[in-house]
Amino acid sequence: MLKTLPLLAMRGLHVFPHTSLFFDAGREESVAAVEWAAESEDKQLFLVAQRDPACEQPDKAALYDIGTLARVRQVLKLPDGHVRILAEGEARARLIQREKGDGYLAATIDVLEEQETPLSARGEALMRAIAAVMEQFVKKTNRVSAEAAGMLESELGPGAYVDVIAANLLVRFEDKQRILEEEGLESRMQALLGLLDRELEIALMEKEIQARVKKQLDKNQREYILREQIRVIRGELGEEGEGESDALRDKANALPLPQDVREQVMKEIAKLEGMPPGSHEATVSRNWLDWVLALPWLVTDDPPINLPRSRAILERDHFALEKVKERVLEYLAVRKLVGDSLKGPILCLVGPPGVGKTSISRAIAEAMGRKFVRMSLGGVRDEAEIRGHRRTYIGAVPGRILSSMRQVGVTNPVFLLDEIDKLSSDAHGDPASALLEVLDGEQNHAFADHYLDAAYDLSHVVFIATANSADSIPRALRDRMEMIECPGYTDEEKKQIARRHLIGREYARHGLARQQMSITPSALSALLDGYTRESGVRQLERQIATICRRAALRIAEGQQKVTVTGKNIEQFLDKPVYHRQEAAAAAVPGVVTGLAWTAAGGETLQVEALRLPGNGQLKLTGQMGDVMRESAMTAASLVRAIAGDYGAVWDGTKEDWHIHIPEGAVPKDGPSAGITMALAMLSALTGRKVQSGVAMTGELTLTGRVLAVGGIQEKVLAAARAGMTTVLLPRDNLRDLDKIPQNIKDKMTFVPVGLFGEVADRALEGGVQHG
């Protein structure tokens, strides 16, 4: 049936048949349409929804095709010009044509009348299903109004029942429009049942989620109430208030702690909350938490690897030390290829003092772009210095390893273990044994500090140890490190170091400009010849500092420029301390120059032997150690056995022998002076002097064999510094000459010997003179 009625376009609302709805109208055309309908005889109005609620002037395309024929029951004018309408839906209607009324919109509609007929079996089944779902929906959700629930309990026809449910469901606007547009009661019932099933499932899921949230909120609320009660109680007792534990929890949650450590921290915080703040236990717990939360956990400082830059840094700060530089560059190259999975190397730089072991460690850190931390081990004798004390002890703290990690703030620094050979042990334990775990790449990923009582990862740390002598490092510890020798410098290398680094550094320290002062090459040569005799450059640097201080005094007094040369160097450093040939054998029999290796590097020493009337005793002086004393006895026995071969007579019952090594205040030990002491005794026995400029080293056996010794490189450098021209060394040590700088080898003659007879023939004046 066609009708032409006023049209009211509704935004976001629906009025279903068999239902009533209050709503407001504000647009002029809408207000006029409502007023016209209210004044008409049948008071009818066509209500249809807009597709886009934001549209202010909707045309036919902007309106849905199906709307509702409604009757205006009440109109209330509002102060702002709007009207409030109570409309009752009567039937569905299709929009045929939009018309233009007198100041309002009108429409030609086709009223879709439905005849009430008995339901089919399918319709009855749908009706019962809707009723069952609706019952569950009303019980378990709040999405149906009390008014609608009451209407559902009254006697309604199937069509009215469906419309009332659809009108009162809190669902999407489009879903309601779809039900309104369904033609045929059974189709409408099918669409409503599907919508109800979906909404019920969603509602149940929401209810389950809300229950979980509520349970968690209840737990949090309970904890909050309990904490508030504890806070009030503590306040009444005059104790500190809450806040500390929350701050600790927040800090722990912000850190990338390993899971086992996080659980341990949270347990400790919970224990702390139940302790009186001023108790000893609370202080211990608080200190432990402070330490754990201050340590770096999974915090790295690892910039991209730039090999040319790293090489330039190493070359910039240090001259020589090529093996150390190459080893570091090799590690960086491999790490660049394999990534973060490569464990840090554990290096041990072995060499005399002053060669730059500590300073090159700093340069290594800079070359790698990592932070640097140094830990001195000299004199450490307690295992707790490494592993820490257990928390049960008063004043317990972590060991120095973790203290240094806290100080540096990252998990992958360059860590210098300085003077590792100076470790000692006592009743409190052996710190060298505690270092075994630290320096083992297979174990240090879970380093156990007694205080921390949790595994700490040290596998990303680059450990560098320094030592003056590898012999004093325990074998098990030495086995865990890659030993790299840092030999003493030659005079030429010292000159280069002085020119490139030391002189400029001392100028800056003393406020001198290069225009005000200069140190000539001849001055450096004189400085090395007469004022320093060392493997490193510390004494050289001190002497240059002395020159700079005295030059600064002259400049401050008005002198324009100071030039230091080899001729005037005594004006700045007084008389020379050393003389180039002082270590050469004196022009008397029984004096031989030997070569020794000490923790300070290579040294020359003069062995003196004197034959005295007596009763066959052997006297040894010069602070000889047990090994050296045994070597002297071996030498005496050998010389006594071969004396006749050299035309000499050894009368063991009427004469004594006295062997002395000068600088008696300095302890000496080792077997390498064996051939030196034997030659000194043979020289004194035969009255033949030792050739000038000859030095020697080698262990001696009772049968006269000369055995290999260590420290050849340092000993040869010491001989060169002392002006020696010939060095006798064991034949098995010839391979060690490859480590000697070529400029040293060019100036010296090296004589390999395998038997003591070869030593005597080459060193004594007059050559071979025995049968």
Side-chain angles (χ1 to χ4, degrees):
M1 181 177 63
L2 296 179
K3 280 189 175 185
T4 300
L5 294 174
L7 181 146
L8 178 60
M10 304 182 70
R11 292 190 277 199
L13 293 174
H14 290 93
V15 176
F16 278 79
H18 311 103
T19 65
S20 299
L21 181 69
F22 271 109
F23 60 91
D24 293 350
R27 286 179 287 197
E28 291 183 5
E29 293 176 338
S30 298
V31 172
V34 170
E35 291 177 347
W36 192 93
E39 293 174 359
S40 66
E41 183 178 351
D42 55 9
K43 301 185 182 299
Q44 288 185 328
L45 181 68
F46 180 57
L47 305 177
V48 63
Q50 294 182 197
R51 298 181 187 274
D52 181 9
C55 181
E56 290 293 332
Q57 297 293 331
D59 55 11
K60 183 177 183 296
L63 301 173
Y64 283 103
D65 293 335
I66 302 297
T68 303
L69 171 64
R71 191 177 300 277
V72 178
R73 293 299 185 187
Q74 184 178 339
V75 177
L76 176 64
K77 291 186 177 181
L78 302 177
D80 57 0
H82 294 183
V83 293
R84 180 162 296 165
I85 310 108
L86 172 61
E88 180 183 350
E90 294 185 344
R92 286 171 174 76
R94 185 185 305 277
L95 176 62
I96 303 299
Q97 180 66 41
R98 180 180 156 183
E99 308 289 347
K100 184 68 175 174
D102 187 11
Y104 60 89
L105 292 178
T108 299
I109 61 173
D110 181 14
V111 180
L112 305 175
E113 296 181 353
E114 294 182 353
Q115 300 295 326
E116 289 289 343
T117 59
L119 290 174
S120 64
R122 181 174 182 275
E124 187 67 33
L126 287 171
M127 189 67 180
R128 293 179 182 179
I130 291 173
V133 174
M134 194 62 193
E135 183 179 1
Q136 292 293 319
F137 195 81
V138 171
K139 288 180 179 179
K140 297 184 178 181
T141 72
N142 295 320
R143 297 191 177 186
V144 177
S145 64
E147 180 184 359
M151 291 179 63
L152 293 174
E153 293 178 359
S154 62
E155 294 294 332
L156 292 175
Y161 188 82
V162 171
D163 286 337
V164 170
I165 292 175
N168 288 277
L169 280 178
L170 299 177
V171 296
R172 294 185 306 165
F173 172 80
E174 292 80 3
D175 291 335
K176 284 191 175 185
Q177 180 66 33
R178 183 166 57 84
I179 293 176
L180 183 66
E181 292 179 353
E182 286 290 346
E183 295 185 8
L185 179 59
E186 289 188 4
S187 297
R188 201 175 307 136
M189 294 167 71
Q190 183 70 50
L192 178 62
L193 181 59
L195 181 61
L196 280 173
D197 282 337
R198 190 188 72 178
E199 290 298 317
L200 179 60
E201 183 178 359
I202 293 174
L204 292 176
M205 291 178 65
E206 288 179 350
K207 190 172 183 181
E208 181 182 355
I209 293 171
Q210 289 173 357
R212 291 179 184 174
V213 173
K214 185 176 184 300
K215 182 178 180 181
Q216 184 63 37
L217 289 176
D218 290 344
K219 180 181 177 182
N220 294 340
Q221 184 71 12
R222 178 175 176 273
E223 291 179 357
Y224 172 77
I225 293 172
L226 290 174
R227 287 199 185 98
E228 283 295 308
Q229 291 175 345
I230 292 173
R231 185 183 65 80
V232 172
I233 293 170
R234 286 179 174 172
E236 291 295 325
L237 294 174
E239 299 176 349
E240 63 182 31
E242 187 194 1
E244 180 186 30
S245 58
D246 288 339
L248 289 171
R249 279 194 185 87
D250 292 342
K251 189 173 182 179
N253 290 327
L255 292 175
L257 298 174
Q259 185 59 35
D260 57 335
V261 177
R262 185 180 303 280
E263 292 174 359
Q264 194 171 349
V265 167
M266 292 306 176
K267 288 180 181 177
E268 198 69 27
I269 294 175
K271 285 169 55 180
L272 180 63
E273 288 177 330
M275 298 178 186
S279 67
H280 171 70
E281 291 80 3
T283 302
V284 170
S285 183
R286 193 178 297 111
N287 289 341
W288 184 85
L289 287 167
D290 289 342
W291 265 103
V292 172
L293 298 180
L295 284 172
W297 298 91
L298 307 177
V299 179
T300 60
D301 182 14
D302 215 358
I305 295 173
N306 186 332
L307 286 176
R309 174 184 174 275
S310 300
R311 185 184 294 274
I313 291 173
L314 294 174
E315 294 293 344
R316 178 195 68 196
D317 294 336
H318 292 83
F319 183 78
L321 299 177
E322 298 303 328
K323 287 186 178 180
V324 184
K325 298 175 185 176
E326 286 304 315
R327 181 62 183 87
V328 173
L329 292 173
E330 288 168 2
Y331 167 74
L332 291 176
V334 174
R335 194 174 186 283
K336 186 174 184 179
L337 296 178
V338 304
D340 295 337
S341 60
L342 183 65
K343 295 179 180 178
I346 300 172
L347 310 177
C348 183
L349 310 182
V350 181
V355 296
K357 299 185 296 297
T358 301
S359 60
I360 199 170
S361 300
R362 295 182 184 275
I364 289 171
E366 183 181 356
M368 298 177 68
R370 296 191 181 185
K371 293 186 177 181
F372 177 81
V373 62
R374 173 182 173 271
M375 175 175 142
S376 178
L377 297 175
V380 173
R381 60 178 64 244
D382 188 352
E383 178 196 359
E385 292 278 348
I386 307 299
R387 289 186 178 275
H389 297 84
R390 299 193 183 278
R391 281 196 282 168
T392 52
Y393 294 102
I394 296 175
V397 292
R400 294 174 64 186
I401 296 290
L402 288 192
S403 297
S404 299
M405 295 300 292
R406 175 182 179 177
Q407 171 190 342
V408 77
V410 294
T411 57
N412 63 339
V414 173
F415 200 125
L416 176 64
L417 300 170
D418 212 3
E419 308 291 354
I420 197 171
D421 58 327
K422 307 300 190 300
L423 285 170
S424 56
S425 60
D426 61 9
H428 295 93
D430 183 6
S433 298
L435 279 175
L436 294 177
E437 181 184 6
V438 176
L439 299 181
D440 190 335
E442 299 301 322
Q443 300 181 43
N444 62 9
H445 66 280
F447 172 65
D449 184 276
H450 290 158
Y451 181 84
L452 188 66
D453 197 23
Y456 190 83
D457 188 0
L458 295 174
S459 62
H460 300 292
V461 177
V462 175
F463 284 105
I464 300 177
T466 67
N468 297 133
S469 171
D471 295 336
S472 56
I473 303 174
R475 184 176 182 84
L477 187 58
R478 190 166 66 240
D479 183 61
R480 282 163 167 77
M481 299 184 290
E482 181 179 345
M483 312 301 288
I484 299 178
E485 291 186 7
C486 298
Y489 298 118
T490 65
D491 283 356
E492 187 57 37
E493 288 173 338
K494 290 180 182 179
K495 290 178 183 178
Q496 293 291 338
I497 293 171
R499 293 193 195 102
R500 298 185 184 188
H501 305 290
L502 303 183
I503 293 176
R505 186 188 306 163
E506 293 303 325
Y507 281 179
R509 287 176 179 173
H510 293 85
L512 299 172
R514 292 190 179 272
Q515 296 80 7
Q516 296 175 303
M517 180 182 177
S518 66
I519 298 177
T520 65
S522 64
L524 281 178
S525 298
L527 186 58
L528 293 173
D529 288 343
Y531 297 91
T532 66
R533 190 66 59 83
E534 59 175 344
S535 298
V537 292
R538 285 180 183 161
Q539 181 65 16
L540 176 60
E541 186 172 12
R542 282 192 287 267
Q543 297 291 6
I544 293 174
T546 300
I547 293 173
C548 289
R549 287 196 302 273
R550 295 184 179 179
L553 177 60
R554 294 189 181 191
I555 292 172
E557 290 176 343
Q559 186 171 336
Q560 294 297 317
K561 183 173 182 178
V562 175
T563 301
V564 184
T565 65
K567 294 181 179 180
N568 69 358
I569 193 170
E570 293 185 13
Q571 299 176 17
F572 298 88
L573 292 177
D574 301 326
K575 295 295 181 180
V577 179
Y578 304 101
H579 299 282
R580 240 328 164 179
Q581 299 295 330
E582 73 172 8
V588 294
V591 179
V592 183
T593 301
L595 298 175
W597 183 89
T598 68
E603 296 287 345
T604 58
L605 52 85
Q606 291 186 9
V607 176
E608 300 174 346
L610 188 62
R611 186 182 185 186
L612 302 168
N615 56 5
Q617 293 185 5
L618 177 63
K619 185 179 294 186
L620 304 173
T621 57
Q623 277 221 57
M624 298 186 194
D626 291 340
V627 177
M628 183 172 276
R629 296 175 73 88
E630 292 176 358
S631 295
M633 295 176 188
T634 302
S637 298
L638 176 64
V639 172
R640 181 177 182 179
I642 66 172
D645 294 342
Y646 291 87
V649 177
W650 180 299
D651 191 349
T653 60
K654 296 182 180 180
E655 59 189 19
D656 292 341
W657 281 93
H658 186 172
I659 298 178
H660 176 68
I661 301 178
E663 299 186 26
V666 180
K668 309 167 190 71
D669 204 357
S672 63
I675 65 172
T676 310
M677 291 187 286
L679 187 64
M681 296 178 73
L682 185 60
S683 171
L685 186 64
T686 60
R688 295 166 60 186
K689 296 181 290 185
V690 175
Q691 296 179 28
S692 177
V694 175
M696 64 196 66
T697 183
E699 182 179 353
L700 186 65
T701 70
L702 278 174
T703 58
R705 289 185 300 122
V706 180
L707 304 183
V709 293
I712 292 296
Q713 185 176 6
E714 297 295 339
K715 292 174 180 178
V716 170
L717 293 178
R721 287 194 296 269
M724 297 292 105
T725 57
T726 303
V727 173
L728 277 63
L729 73 164
R731 185 169 283 109
D732 290 342
N733 283 122
L734 278 177
R735 61 183 181 273
D736 295 319
L737 294 180
D738 294 338
K739 303 176 183 178
I740 308 299
Q742 189 60 45
N743 63 324
I744 297 296
K745 290 194 285 188
D746 292 341
K747 297 176 183 178
M748 304 183 73
T749 301
F750 298 95
V751 180
V753 291
L755 297 171
F756 178 72
E758 299 174 23
V759 176
D761 294 344
R762 182 63 180 82
L764 292 176
E765 288 186 350
V768 180
Q769 295 184 16
H770 61 89

